[in-house]
Amino acid sequence: MILPIVAYGDPMLKKAAEITPEDYPDLKQLVADMFETMQFAKGVGLAAPQIGKSIRMFLVDASPFAEDDKEGKHQHLRDFKKVFINPEIQEEWGDEWNFEEGCLSIPGIREDVWRNEKIRIKYLDENFNLHEDQFDDISARIIQHEYDHIEGVLFTDHLNPLKRRLLKKRLLDISRGIVDVKYKMRFPLKR
Ligand code: NI
């Protein structure tokens, strides 16, 4: 089932999410619904707060990067499709690099964000098996962006004050539902 995605301005997106309990009701179904929602919206990541659930869980599917890939640089991303439950980033290192990020909760806006190149993360998969893995480049980038969501942080929070001021009106319009978007959303200030 495709779920509505919570838009910028909703308090849900500003709140640190709670640990996901192992007996969370219908978790498998929720994971399936989130994948369906993300794919329909053509996203590469989706965090539970974005569909209105304040739990520490997100999923990623970087295969669109492999599909658009003319230089053959991102073919390894074809299989980067994963669920992260109760993740903890253990370490972030490497050069900071700049990449244009977008967010399904903030349609139509893309801005450069600086992040470290590499991360080490501990997480549970959808069967609650524990993993500890290292990621870099675009995979790390997507995880860092989604991890921010479960901490109540949006990519716009990483922008400098001038950039944020320039975006203010467009962000307010998104909260009001004044935005062209092809997927189902829930707007906090829509009348
Ligand atoms: Ni996002």
Side-chain angles (χ1 to χ4, degrees), residues 64-81:
F65 280 100
E67 279 146 29
D68 298 340
D69 181 22
K70 289 182 188 69
E71 295 163 39
K73 228 171 78 186
H74 299 313
Q75 285 311 306
H76 63 289
L77 293 173
R78 189 171 294 283
D79 304 317
F80 184 55
K81 184 174 172 186

Side-chain angles (χ1 to χ4, degrees), residues 45-47 50 101-106 145-146 149 153-155:
L46 183 68
Q50 291 182 278
E101 295 189 18
C103 181
L104 294 177
S105 294
I106 314 176
H145 176 114
E146 297 311 321
H149 274 299
V153 174
L154 299 172
F155 82 83

Side-chain angles (χ1 to χ4, degrees), residues 10-30:
D10 192 303
M12 175 64 74
L13 297 176
K14 297 303 289 178
K15 160 164 115 182
E18 305 285 334
I19 292 289
T20 314
E22 197 164 348
D23 60 355
Y24 191 83
D26 298 321
L27 189 67
K28 286 260 152 75
Q29 189 57 48
L30 179 63

Side-chain angles (χ1 to χ4, degrees), residues 41-163:
K42 300 192 184 346
V44 294
L46 183 68
Q50 291 182 278
I51 48 96
K53 308 257 186 237
S54 193
I55 52 171
R56 302 182 75 82
M57 174 173 96
F58 58 79
L59 29 99
V60 301
D61 177 2
S63 54
F65 280 100
E67 279 146 29
D68 298 340
D69 181 22
K70 289 182 188 69
E71 295 163 39
K73 228 171 78 186
H74 299 313
Q75 285 311 306
H76 63 289
L77 293 173
R78 189 171 294 283
D79 304 317
F80 184 55
K81 184 174 172 186
K82 265 177 182 303
V83 181
F84 294 80
I85 296 174
N86 300 337
E88 281 172 38
I89 292 184
Q90 306 288 304
E91 206 184 334
E92 292 185 78
W93 74 99
D95 291 337
E96 285 210 350
W97 65 298
N98 184 331
F99 186 79
E100 202 180 54
E101 295 189 18
C103 181
L104 294 177
S105 294
I106 314 176
I109 295 183
R110 300 189 68 85
E111 290 292 340
D112 278 338
V113 178
W114 290 88
R115 298 187 192 270
N116 284 111
E117 193 189 352
K118 297 172 199 282
I119 62 164
R120 194 161 48 80
I121 187 170
K122 231 173 163 169
Y123 60 96
L124 301 166
D125 61 24
E126 62 274 43
N127 301 311
F128 276 78
N129 293 317
L130 184 65
H131 300 267
E132 185 168 340
D133 291 326
Q134 197 175 304
F135 296 96
D136 61 12
D137 197 58
I138 288 180
S139 332
R141 168 73 55 166
I142 300 170
I143 293 170
Q144 287 160 321
H145 176 114
E146 297 311 321
Y147 190 86
D148 271 354
H149 274 299
I150 61 172
E151 295 286 8
V153 174
L154 299 172
F155 82 83
T156 46
D157 296 321
H158 291 284
L159 304 177
N160 69 46
L162 173 66
K163 261 268 154 65

